[in-house]
Amino acid sequence: MILNSRRTLVVVAHPDDETLGAGGTIRRLVDAGAQVDLLIATDGSSAQFENDMEARNRRSSHLDRACEILGISRRMVLDFPDMRLDTVAHIELNRAIGQAADAGNYDTILTHHPGDVNMDHRQVFNSVMVVARPVPGAIIRTLATFFINSSTEWGAPHANGAFSPNLFVDVDRTIHQKLAALAAYEDELRPWPHPRSVEAVRARAQTVGSEVGVGHAEAFQLIRGLVGEPGVTR
């Protein structure tokens, strides 16, 4: 279902989330001729680097490199405060994400899982759910969430928090590009056995792949998928 998309928007809280969650799938979509755009809700670095502009510029260059490797057509940064999305009015985040989604006429949105330990991830998910509501004539047909190493597995395992994948994408042909894009984020990588190491991300893809009979795979939880004639622009 995801791979049938012609225009996909990946909505994340921070640079590198797109690669961790769906890097292999993004590259597969691009290779199949789809347009994939990236929307980042926060400035992505102020909490970590504060006023260190050299480090913040370096993070931006890492994002550029990752987008180049994955084939992302356009990246948009909303510049809300990093690690402080809970201080942003819900309606403001809804409006900003909604404007980007409407302008691109996307048929598919991929985003964070609501049970992630990271609060920014949860805030983005909540706003995407508003933006992607299935009103008559809506263009968005597919909405799915992905797994982020060092965030999804650390969320509390309550009823609404467990990641329950029901959609899998074979990324055997694109796992090397996912890992290369991840390696571009030099400041975010950690040594093994941290879950945000290259080895752990590969191991996750191998484990998910083995569960569905392929070498490497990315897992998604399908929130909604509509099969039928496309609607008209809202």
Side-chain angles (χ1 to χ4, degrees), residues 136-190:
I139 293 293
I140 299 167
R141 318 293 279 179
T142 301
L143 172 61
T145 64
F146 42 62
F147 185 102
I148 298 286
N149 278 46
S150 77
S151 182
T152 307
E153 76 272 36
W154 289 346
H158 52 77
N160 295 326
F163 181 71
S164 301
N166 52 12
L167 188 62
F168 303 85
V169 176
D170 181 346
V171 297
D172 247 356
R173 291 179 293 172
T174 56
I175 184 63
H176 64 288
Q177 287 149 314
K178 175 187 176 85
L179 297 178
L182 179 63
Y185 289 108
E186 301 170 10
D187 295 332
E188 297 305 309
L189 288 178
R190 300 291 182 270

Side-chain angles (χ1 to χ4, degrees), residues 7 9 17 19 22 27 40 47 57 61 69 72 76 102 116-117 129 161 167 185 197 207 225:
R7 295 180 66 87
L9 180 64
D17 290 337
T19 300
R27 188 68 236 189
I40 302 171
N57 290 335
S61 69
I69 292 169
I72 290 170
M76 300 162 278
D102 285 344
D116 285 9
V117 72
M129 285 296 290
L167 188 62
Y185 289 108
S197 61
T207 297

Side-chain angles (χ1 to χ4, degrees), residues 34-112:
Q35 177 176 326
V36 181
D37 294 342
L38 174 63
L39 179 63
I40 302 171
T42 74
D43 59 56
S45 58
S46 60
Q48 182 177 5
F49 300 122
E50 296 183 344
N51 295 321
D52 185 344
M53 294 309 299
E54 181 179 350
R56 295 179 69 172
N57 290 335
R58 186 172 67 247
R59 180 70 179 272
S60 181
S61 69
H62 294 167
L63 170 62
D64 289 341
R65 177 60 181 148
C67 287
E68 179 183 2
I69 292 169
L70 297 180
I72 290 170
S73 296
R74 181 186 181 201
R75 66 175 177 91
M76 300 162 278
V77 180
L78 297 179
D79 215 32
F80 287 115
D82 180 33
M83 300 307 294
R84 294 187 293 276
L85 280 183
D86 57 317
T87 68
V88 176
H90 184 51
I91 191 171
E92 290 184 21
L93 188 56
N94 296 352
R95 183 181 296 118
I97 293 175
Q99 288 174 347
D102 285 344
N105 286 335
Y106 301 101
D107 56 67
T108 298
I109 292 183
L110 306 179
T111 192
H112 293 290

Side-chain angles (χ1 to χ4, degrees), residues 193-208:
H194 193 284
R196 207 163 61 246
S197 61
V198 170
E199 297 89 342
V201 172
R202 179 189 289 277
R204 172 73 62 180
Q206 290 174 325
T207 297
V208 173

